[in-house]
Amino acid sequence: MSGQAPEVPRPAVRPQTDASPAGDLPLAVIGQPGVPFVEIETLRAREFIPAAKEALSSLLKEQAQGKLIRPVFNWAGRNSLFPLHWGLACCAIEFAAAFGARWDAERFGVVPRSSPRQCDLLIVNGTVTWKVAHKLIALYEQMPEPKWAIAMGNCATGGGPFRTAYSVVPGVDKLIPVDVYIAGCPPRPENMLDGILRLEQLIKERGE
Amino acid sequence: MDAKQLSDGLATRFPGKILGVDPLDGTLGRIRFDPAVATDLFRSLRDDYQFTHLTLVGATDWIDHREVFYVLWSDTDRLYLVLSANLPTDAPVIASSVPIWPSANAHEREAWDLVGVKFEGHPDLRRIFMPEGYAYHPLLRSFKIHEPEDLEVKVRSD
Ligand code: SF4
């Protein structure tokens, strides 16, 4: 009999690599003209900071020569979409859930902000009435370019169950340009995340 | 105070202008009155009969006429009283009750917005649920449910 707890096998510590992490990183090619931009999704967290440093310094060098690199801004923009924190109706509950712990939209770089001047994405999450329509337009116009809009839910897409009501805008595309429509009443947070990822795809394809 | 006392008292004050008193569950009754005496009747009910609180003002479109109704509450007698007046469809106008009961303000704006009853003497008779520039009074029976594309709405831009 002994008072000692049995030895618990521990997972082996992952060995540190001696090789310089920035050595053959795809990000190193960003600054070279004519070379297509390469995704950095293969980076591990430990490798990211030196790679980002290098990318940034080469970017600054390019900028000093007057050559701005559009793909970098495209990549940075589409991976850090900041939607406006604006809840309109029941869909706003699902919108909020998507940013909670379970679905965690922040892992895609999507962070809701409270001021339209800090946002580049307007997610219209609910029923838009004629009374609030001019405020929606004002918010959209206050957002800096480039900006995108998602119509979330049936109400924002086409009026939803209130389509024939006297007070409801039958689809926010009557008021602002919309890039992605998400169906559902309400759409589940997964749908919303899918919509955001599709918008990222769209931004990449358009090269905005 | 019972309904008989009240209606007799009002009938002597406003001869010929009190058109009837109907029983109504949970209230003292429903008094139908001629809209010409609206302001005097309201003042008399507030000052002489202690109906100090106006709970709501509403309106209904009955196609051949429009009805305005008021629900009053008396703190002294702990009683509700309902007033109602019929207005002609072509001139749905009645004196505002805001100078007597300020709580009528938003209710009268709502009745104007949705049923199109004009309250004369209201300090600020604007639309309340629909935007300014909306061309309809949507709870009128003559308002048909449109295909939304037919609706003409001007959205102001700030
Ligand atoms: S689509 Fe459905 S859940 Fe979303 S705002 Fe409209 S009614 Fe509510």
Side-chain angles (χ1 to χ4, degrees), chain A residues 88-92 94 125-128 152-157 159-162 182 184-187:
Chain A
L88 275 168
C90 7
C91 273
E94 301 297 303
N125 46 18
T127 324
V128 181
M152 175 188 179
N154 292 352
C155 281
T157 302
F162 316 111
I182 306 174
C185 180

Side-chain angles (χ1 to χ4, degrees), chain B residues 96-151:
Chain B
S96 170
S97 57
V98 177
I100 290 122
W101 294 290
S103 63
N105 193 317
H107 296 282
E108 289 189 354
R109 277 178 69 190
E110 179 186 352
W112 157 246
D113 190 359
L114 301 180
V115 193
V117 173
K118 259 212 168 83
F119 293 91
E120 260 173 3
H122 189 288
D124 183 23
L125 196 63
R126 281 178 297 132
R127 288 183 174 272
I128 187 166
F129 292 133
M130 309 312 297
E132 284 303 326
Y134 192 77
Y136 316 90
H137 297 292
L139 292 198
L140 290 181
R141 312 266 173 152
S142 54
F143 181 86
K144 295 278 179 294
I145 292 192
H146 303 69
E147 264 307 293
E149 281 72 18
D150 304 341
L151 214 61

Side-chain angles (χ1 to χ4, degrees), chain B:
Chain B
M1 179 168 48
D2 62 14
K4 184 88 182 62
Q5 248 176 312
L6 178 68
S7 64
D8 288 353
L10 289 177
T12 46
R13 261 167 219 267
F14 305 101
K17 302 295 185 189
I18 305 299
L19 307 177
V21 181
D22 315 322
L24 193 64
D25 265 0
T27 72
L28 196 57
R30 188 180 72 145
I31 297 184
R32 286 181 282 114
F33 66 97
D34 186 333
V37 294
T39 308
D40 295 335
L41 177 69
F42 297 155
R43 186 165 290 119
S44 163
L45 282 168
R46 183 191 67 181
D47 296 342
D48 308 334
Y49 294 96
Q50 279 80 46
F51 284 98
T52 45
H53 178 71
L54 180 94
T55 308
L56 71 91
V57 180
T60 318
D61 179 17
W62 293 112
I63 300 178
D64 54 338
H65 64 274
R66 290 181 207 172
E67 181 189 355
V68 192
F69 53 90
Y70 303 77
V71 180
L72 309 180
W73 169 254
S74 160
D75 269 330
T76 354
D77 296 314
R78 309 199 62 72
L79 278 172
Y80 283 113
L81 175 71
V82 179
L83 306 177
S84 108
N86 289 349
L87 310 176
T89 309
D90 48 350
V93 183
I94 191 169
S96 170
S97 57
V98 177
I100 290 122
W101 294 290
S103 63
N105 193 317
H107 296 282
E108 289 189 354
R109 277 178 69 190
E110 179 186 352
W112 157 246
D113 190 359
L114 301 180
V115 193
V117 173
K118 259 212 168 83
F119 293 91
E120 260 173 3
H122 189 288
D124 183 23
L125 196 63
R126 281 178 297 132
R127 288 183 174 272
I128 187 166
F129 292 133
M130 309 312 297
E132 284 303 326
Y134 192 77
Y136 316 90
H137 297 292
L139 292 198
L140 290 181
R141 312 266 173 152
S142 54
F143 181 86
K144 295 278 179 294
I145 292 192
H146 303 69
E147 264 307 293
E149 281 72 18
D150 304 341
L151 214 61
E152 277 175 36
V153 185
K154 289 190 207 83
V155 177
R156 87 185 143 94
S157 82
D158 293 318

